[in-house]
Amino acid sequence: MKKIGIIGAMEEEITPLLELFPPRNRATLLGGNLFYHIVYKDTEIHIAYSKIGKVHAAITASTMILRFGCEKVIFCGVAGGLREDLAVGDLLLGTKLCQHDVDISAFGHPLGFIPESRVFIETDESLNAIARQVALESNLTLKEGIIASGDAFIHSREKKQWIIDNFGAAAVEMEGASVAVVCDSFKVPCCILRSISDSADGSADVSFDEFLESSAKAGADFVKKMVDRLV
């Protein structure tokens, strides 16, 4: 039986997912996280929200793979837009992920680099191809780009520009890169999808709250269509 893991950072990000699938059969409380288990078309689907931040997301992704045997991982949630062509409600496919808050440049390394790793972690091309096909069939515009992750909510124009200048990022959030690192380490394909909920500037805190629910719903609808293709 195929096993797919779906992760969001917040409860609000997985609530629409749980509503889209049949009633969950059971749930497991592990490491402070509740993992929902669903059998859907002869496939096991495991859904959880990690809590905010890279550490929590890494724990959840590792648990999905090591405890529940997930063979593919999809992360779905919201993000702050950095590129001018990204508007609130747009869907963004993360082709590469980086950690904008990693800095050991004092030792001559580039920003975002960790020894025995690399600045950018690529997501799985086969899953990304499915995402593109779903967008095409749904008549949706799916934008693509680099997503930068860090343990800070970005809400200043200066920091926003710094991330753009140093990483060429299209969007910023707080979990995706850690999920990508975990999946890359265990050779598990991953896909990172983000709905743009704010512009990561001085009004970010206001627009984030306002558009969280609608953005999360849009992402959940898209992931459901991806799962239907995978199963």
Side-chain angles (χ1 to χ4, degrees):
M1 185 175 286
K2 297 176 183 177
K3 297 181 179 181
I4 300 171
I6 306 175
I7 306 172
M10 297 176 288
E11 186 173 10
E12 293 90 340
E13 291 174 326
I14 70 164
T15 295
L17 274 167
L18 294 172
E19 293 171 351
L20 287 172
F21 287 101
R24 41 202 177 274
N25 298 338
R26 59 191 175 88
T28 301
L29 182 62
L30 187 62
N33 280 22
L34 196 60
F35 294 82
Y36 297 97
H37 311 297
I38 298 161
V39 176
Y40 179 69
K41 297 181 180 179
D42 297 323
T43 297
E44 286 185 19
I45 300 176
H46 304 270
I47 301 176
Y49 72 94
S50 60
K51 298 187 288 290
I52 292 170
K54 293 191 298 176
V55 170
H56 290 125
I59 291 170
T60 303
S62 298
T63 303
M64 287 280 197
I65 295 167
L66 298 176
R67 176 64 181 269
F68 301 116
C70 292
E71 301 155 324
K72 301 180 191 300
V73 173
I74 300 173
F75 192 103
C76 178
V78 297
L82 298 177
R83 267 190 348 222
E84 290 186 0
D85 67 315
L86 288 172
V88 170
D90 283 351
L91 283 173
L92 177 70
L93 176 66
T95 52
K96 296 192 291 186
L97 284 291
C98 63
Q99 299 180 69
H100 68 76
D101 57 350
V102 169
D103 184 356
I104 52 171
S105 58
F107 299 97
H109 296 298
L111 290 170
F113 177 79
I114 293 175
E116 300 183 52
S117 184
R118 53 195 187 276
V119 175
F120 296 102
I121 304 294
E122 297 80 11
T123 49
D124 182 69
E125 183 52 37
S126 62
L127 287 176
N128 291 347
I130 290 173
R132 296 183 188 107
Q133 188 63 32
V134 166
L136 183 65
E137 293 175 356
S138 304
N139 197 29
L140 292 172
T141 299
L142 179 64
K143 298 184 178 180
E144 302 183 20
I146 296 169
I147 296 177
S149 305
D151 284 319
F153 182 76
I154 305 304
H155 57 93
S156 76
R157 296 183 185 276
E158 293 76 17
K159 189 63 176 181
K160 173 179 175 178
Q161 191 60 49
W162 182 89
I163 295 171
I164 294 170
D165 293 343
N166 285 283
F167 298 99
V172 63
E173 35 89 308
M174 300 176 67
E175 299 84 22
S178 58
V179 173
V181 168
V182 168
C183 290
D184 182 68
S185 298
F186 290 108
K187 308 304 179 189
V188 170
C190 79
C191 180
I192 310 293
L193 288 162
R194 290 289 188 173
S195 296
I196 301 303
S197 60
D198 62 87
S199 56
D201 56 19
S203 62
D205 55 339
V206 176
S207 58
F208 180 85
D209 289 337
E210 183 178 352
F211 291 103
L212 173 59
E213 184 176 351
S214 60
S215 296
K217 179 67 166 59
D221 290 340
F222 194 92
V223 169
K224 173 64 163 50
K225 292 177 182 178
M226 284 189 66
V227 169
D228 283 333
R229 292 187 68 92
L230 286 168
V231 302

